[in-house]
Amino acid sequence: AQSVTQLDSQVPVFEEAPVELRCNYSSSVSVYLFWYVQYPNQGLQLLLKYLSGSTLVKGINGFEAEFNKSQTSFHLRKPSVHISDTAEYFCAVTSDTGRRALTFGSGTRLQVQP
Amino acid sequence: EAGVAQSPRYKIIEKRQSVAFWCNPISGHATLYWYQQILGQGPKLLIQFQNNGVVDDSQLPKDRFSAERLKGVDSTLKIQPAKLEDSAVYLCASNLIGGLAGNEQFFGPGTRLTVL
């Protein structure tokens, strides 16, 4: 079984500042990792995913994340945020064996202030 | 290409009533998922279909929840009878072949259920 912990429920940040949203996971098998974004009253949209290879993954809207196997982390970063980045961000994990549905963290609300 | 469609978008019912949600996945997507997202939490899998067969329903409260995907395309999720704690957003997602781990899941807009 896998689990995901998003350490921050809310992250307030000023526009054009950098941001990091933290995600740690637990699994007894190899994992695949995802970040999704959810805007108000919308479904989830994939930002980026790590399957294998380079541990630094670039996604849409200028976001990137780094997979750290030793620390079981997959933190999401953006060097300069915009007001439009205000949304809920979910980290998720799945494995290549057994059940393949996603296990989600509880989410981090990113609030970008002018 | 059209995305995952869900209806209704909003539903308000009283406890002990019944409700049904509908999902039409992206054309050609063999795998369909229903997730429950309670306010302030991440989505939690209720049931996963591969074509019209159930792959995983271990977290579906089967005493009140049921789901079907008869022709391997559309799916319906039903709650009967509803409880207050069923208030949540119900998300449908789909992806291509066999639910491969790397396959991106595409999500619908969700149905927001309020049970009074």
XYZ file of all heavy atoms in Angstrom, chain A residues 33-69:
304
model
N 5.002 8.998 -9.668
C 4.533 10.145 -8.908
C 3.948 11.206 -9.828
O 4.436 11.403 -10.950
C 5.693 10.736 -8.098
C 6.206 9.812 -6.997
C 7.657 10.082 -6.684
C 5.358 9.966 -5.741
N 2.941 11.881 -9.334
C 2.207 12.860 -10.122
C 1.906 14.098 -9.272
O 1.742 14.003 -8.058
C 0.866 12.279 -10.598
C 0.982 10.999 -11.380
C 1.197 9.795 -10.741
C 0.868 11.011 -12.753
C 1.303 8.597 -11.457
C 0.968 9.830 -13.485
C 1.182 8.634 -12.835
N 1.796 15.227 -9.943
C 1.202 16.417 -9.349
C 0.027 16.836 -10.233
O 0.169 16.960 -11.460
C 2.204 17.576 -9.263
C 3.069 17.553 -8.050
C 4.352 17.084 -7.947
C 2.726 18.047 -6.748
N 4.819 17.249 -6.672
C 3.849 17.840 -5.912
C 1.582 18.651 -6.209
C 3.867 18.208 -4.562
C 1.607 19.012 -4.880
C 2.732 18.794 -4.071
N -1.113 17.052 -9.558
C -2.309 17.550 -10.238
C -2.680 18.908 -9.649
O -2.455 19.177 -8.470
C -3.490 16.595 -10.042
C -3.491 15.389 -10.941
C -2.759 14.256 -10.607
C -4.240 15.376 -12.119
C -2.772 13.135 -11.436
C -4.256 14.258 -12.945
C -3.521 13.144 -12.596
O -3.526 12.047 -13.421
N -3.327 19.743 -10.467
C -3.839 21.021 -10.006
C -5.355 21.020 -10.178
O -5.880 20.444 -11.138
C -3.194 22.196 -10.768
C -3.471 22.127 -12.265
C -3.688 23.532 -10.202
N -6.036 21.625 -9.203
C -7.498 21.713 -9.268
C -7.908 23.160 -9.057
O -7.719 23.706 -7.960
C -8.139 20.815 -8.211
C -9.654 20.728 -8.309
C -10.236 19.731 -7.318
O -9.759 19.596 -6.194
N -11.270 19.014 -7.734
N -8.455 23.771 -10.099
C -8.995 25.120 -9.990
C -10.424 25.033 -9.457
O -11.074 23.985 -9.578
C -8.938 25.828 -11.344
C -7.524 25.981 -11.857
C -7.040 25.144 -12.866
C -6.663 26.938 -11.331
C -5.744 25.258 -13.323
C -5.356 27.050 -11.781
C -4.908 26.213 -12.775
O -3.621 26.326 -13.222
N -10.945 26.090 -8.870
C -12.281 26.048 -8.269
C -13.343 25.510 -9.220
O -13.411 25.921 -10.384
C -12.534 27.514 -7.912
C -11.180 28.091 -7.683
C -10.286 27.394 -8.670
N -14.107 24.582 -8.718
C -15.235 23.995 -9.467
C -14.811 23.296 -10.752
O -15.597 23.213 -11.704
C -16.286 25.062 -9.771
C -16.874 25.648 -8.507
O -17.199 24.919 -7.571
N -16.971 26.952 -8.452
N -13.586 22.833 -10.785
C -13.111 22.083 -11.949
C -12.527 20.749 -11.515
O -12.263 20.522 -10.335
C -12.062 22.898 -12.713
C -12.591 24.175 -13.331
C -11.563 24.864 -14.193
O -10.666 24.226 -14.746
N -11.683 26.176 -14.314
N -12.330 19.892 -12.499
C -11.669 18.617 -12.222
C -10.177 18.808 -12.083
O -9.671 19.928 -12.104
N -9.452 17.723 -11.939
C -8.006 17.783 -11.770
C -7.304 17.759 -13.115
O -7.703 17.047 -14.030
C -7.523 16.593 -10.939
C -7.856 16.650 -9.458
C -9.195 16.012 -9.176
C -6.774 15.959 -8.644
N -6.237 18.518 -13.194
C -5.434 18.599 -14.416
C -4.001 18.206 -14.082
O -3.433 18.683 -13.095
C -5.473 20.027 -14.968
C -4.655 20.235 -16.225
C -4.648 21.684 -16.677
O -5.171 22.565 -16.007
N -4.049 21.943 -17.821
N -3.424 17.360 -14.911
C -2.059 16.907 -14.649
C -1.061 18.025 -14.891
O -1.062 18.661 -15.939
C -1.728 15.725 -15.563
C -0.343 15.127 -15.386
C -0.234 14.430 -14.019
C -0.031 14.123 -16.497
N -0.197 18.270 -13.898
C 0.889 19.239 -14.033
C 2.150 18.567 -14.562
O 2.803 19.065 -15.467
C 1.221 19.857 -12.679
C 0.422 21.054 -12.189
C 0.913 21.445 -10.797
C 0.540 22.217 -13.149
N 2.500 17.447 -13.943
C 3.706 16.713 -14.342
C 3.683 15.335 -13.698
O 2.891 15.075 -12.789
C 4.971 17.487 -13.940
C 5.068 18.032 -12.511
C 5.436 16.963 -11.514
C 6.074 19.174 -12.445
N 4.593 14.473 -14.200
C 4.679 13.128 -13.654
C 6.113 12.635 -13.718
O 6.875 13.026 -14.618
C 3.760 12.167 -14.401
C 4.081 12.011 -15.881
C 3.050 11.109 -16.564
C 3.331 10.987 -18.060
N 2.301 10.158 -18.763
N 6.460 11.780 -12.770
C 7.746 11.098 -12.773
C 7.492 9.600 -12.930
O 6.808 8.990 -12.110
C 8.532 11.343 -11.485
C 9.756 10.475 -11.415
C 10.904 10.808 -12.133
C 9.760 9.283 -10.694
C 12.016 9.984 -12.120
C 10.872 8.460 -10.676
C 11.992 8.810 -11.393
O 13.093 7.992 -11.384
N 8.084 9.034 -13.995
C 7.977 7.586 -14.217
C 9.335 6.927 -14.030
O 9.447 5.894 -13.377
C 7.437 7.309 -15.612
C 6.083 7.960 -15.964
C 5.643 7.552 -17.356
C 5.032 7.594 -14.931
N 10.343 7.493 -14.650
C 11.704 6.963 -14.551
C 12.643 7.993 -15.171
O 12.202 9.008 -15.694
C 11.834 5.611 -15.255
O 11.609 5.771 -16.646
N 13.961 7.707 -15.119
C 14.918 8.577 -15.782
C 15.300 9.771 -14.929
O 15.440 9.660 -13.705
N 15.440 10.903 -15.563
C 15.874 12.116 -14.870
C 14.966 12.418 -13.684
O 13.741 12.382 -13.799
C 15.883 13.302 -15.824
O 16.159 14.496 -15.117
N 15.592 12.735 -12.564
C 14.798 12.981 -11.359
C 14.172 14.366 -11.350
O 13.304 14.641 -10.536
C 15.672 12.817 -10.110
O 16.784 13.705 -10.205
C 16.155 11.386 -9.977
N 14.608 15.240 -12.237
C 14.010 16.572 -12.349
C 13.010 16.546 -13.494
O 13.375 16.303 -14.640
C 15.085 17.633 -12.596
C 14.572 19.076 -12.666
C 13.942 19.492 -11.341
C 15.714 20.026 -13.033
N 11.773 16.806 -13.167
C 10.703 16.708 -14.144
C 10.100 18.094 -14.353
O 9.782 18.787 -13.395
C 9.606 15.753 -13.645
C 8.480 15.668 -14.654
C 10.180 14.382 -13.361
N 9.951 18.460 -15.611
C 9.329 19.756 -15.927
C 7.901 19.528 -16.400
O 7.617 18.570 -17.130
C 10.145 20.472 -16.986
C 11.530 20.902 -16.471
C 12.232 21.820 -17.438
C 13.638 22.157 -16.937
N 13.593 22.906 -15.658
N 7.016 20.421 -15.979
C 5.620 20.280 -16.343
C 5.077 21.522 -17.014
O 5.826 22.359 -17.510
N 3.763 21.632 -16.989
C 3.120 22.773 -17.622
C 3.138 23.978 -16.698
O 3.371 23.845 -15.491
C 1.671 22.433 -18.022
C 0.825 22.104 -16.789
C 1.641 21.283 -19.017
C -0.648 21.967 -17.074
N 2.896 25.146 -17.278
C 2.774 26.390 -16.515
C 4.018 26.733 -15.708
O 3.924 27.438 -14.709
C 1.565 26.336 -15.568
C 0.258 26.118 -16.310
O 0.158 26.355 -17.505
N -0.747 25.645 -15.599
N 5.192 26.267 -16.156
C 6.442 26.636 -15.501
C 6.772 25.871 -14.230
O 7.737 26.197 -13.537
N 5.990 24.864 -13.897
C 6.254 24.065 -12.700
C 7.277 22.965 -12.983
O 7.383 22.478 -14.105
C 4.961 23.419 -12.178
C 4.055 24.382 -11.463
C 3.047 25.042 -12.151
C 4.214 24.616 -10.107
C 2.208 25.935 -11.492
C 3.380 25.498 -9.439
C 2.375 26.158 -10.139
N 8.010 22.581 -11.944
C 8.915 21.452 -12.016
C 8.921 20.746 -10.662
O 8.513 21.317 -9.650
C 10.332 21.886 -12.396
C 11.000 22.803 -11.393
C 12.399 23.219 -11.828
O 12.654 23.355 -13.040
O 13.240 23.413 -10.934
N 9.358 19.508 -10.669
C 9.427 18.743 -9.430
C 10.650 17.848 -9.470
O 11.097 17.437 -10.543
C 8.164 17.904 -9.240
N 11.170 17.544 -8.303
C 12.346 16.689 -8.213
C 12.038 15.463 -7.374
O 11.581 15.561 -6.232
C 13.517 17.440 -7.607
C 14.819 16.622 -7.619
C 16.054 17.492 -7.618
O 15.945 18.676 -7.258
O 17.125 16.978 -7.989
N 12.311 14.310 -7.959
C 12.121 13.035 -7.273
C 13.374 12.732 -6.465
O 14.485 12.721 -7.001
C 11.870 11.928 -8.293
C 11.878 10.539 -7.715
C 10.997 10.181 -6.707
C 12.765 9.573 -8.190
C 10.995 8.900 -6.183
C 12.767 8.290 -7.676
C 11.880 7.954 -6.660
N 13.206 12.492 -5.174
C 14.320 12.148 -4.304
C 13.983 10.827 -3.622
O 13.201 10.778 -2.667
C 14.558 13.253 -3.268
C 15.827 13.024 -2.473
O 16.132 11.889 -2.082
N 16.580 14.085 -2.233
N 14.582 9.759 -4.129
C 14.229 8.421 -3.640
C 14.674 8.213 -2.194
O 13.950 7.618 -1.390
C 14.862 7.350 -4.535
C 14.403 5.944 -4.216
C 14.950 4.947 -5.229
C 14.459 3.542 -4.923
N 14.969 2.555 -5.909
